[in-house]
Amino acid sequence: AYPGLDRLIHEHARLSVLTALITNGAGLSFNELKKMCQLTDGNLSRHLAILDEAGLITIFKGTEGNRSLTLCRITSDGRKKYTEYLAVLERVVTDAAGAIRVTNAPGRT
């Protein structure tokens, strides 16, 4: 009913990842995302690959000290698509709230 609910973003884990990244503009490490989104290494890796292939995030691989570091950031296109997704989600909530008010109106059974 709402074609703007982009399935790429609407999936729970990817929505969690994008929300975490949009609220942390400098980006987040793989481990920070894993903890915040409560995902396994494999699950997070797969979702990051999907978001990266779609151009919604960028993934930087490097080292910090002697340890490897994977840093993820949302792209400007990712920010735009996330904002568009939220606008559609707001319409869903508004429409649902309106339907509930009509259903619960006095004199309705």
Side-chain angles (χ1 to χ4, degrees):
Y2 293 89
L5 285 178
D6 185 339
R7 292 184 64 89
L8 177 70
I9 297 172
H10 194 65
E11 198 287 324
H12 176 73
R14 291 190 292 268
L15 180 59
S16 295
V17 167
L18 289 173
T19 300
L21 292 176
I22 206 160
T23 58
N24 292 279
L28 292 167
S29 72
F30 183 90
N31 286 332
E32 290 170 322
L33 277 171
K34 183 172 81 167
K35 185 177 178 182
M36 289 176 81
C37 300
Q38 299 179 345
L39 298 169
T40 64
D41 286 359
N43 202 336
L44 179 57
S45 291
R46 182 65 187 130
H47 289 296
L48 290 177
I50 291 168
L51 292 169
D52 185 38
E53 289 169 15
L56 302 184
I57 67 168
T58 54
I59 300 173
F60 303 95
K61 295 189 182 248
T63 57
E64 186 176 86
N66 291 335
R67 302 185 72 186
S68 63
L69 175 68
T70 300
L71 183 68
C72 304
R73 290 189 183 134
I74 193 163
T75 62
S76 58
D77 190 42
R79 188 173 299 278
K80 178 180 179 262
K81 289 187 185 285
Y82 184 88
T83 303
E84 291 168 352
Y85 171 84
L86 286 182
V88 174
L89 197 54
E90 286 175 345
R91 283 197 308 273
V92 171
V93 171
T94 299
D95 291 351
I100 291 169
R101 279 192 295 278
V102 169
T103 303
N104 293 334
R108 301 263 318 178
T109 55

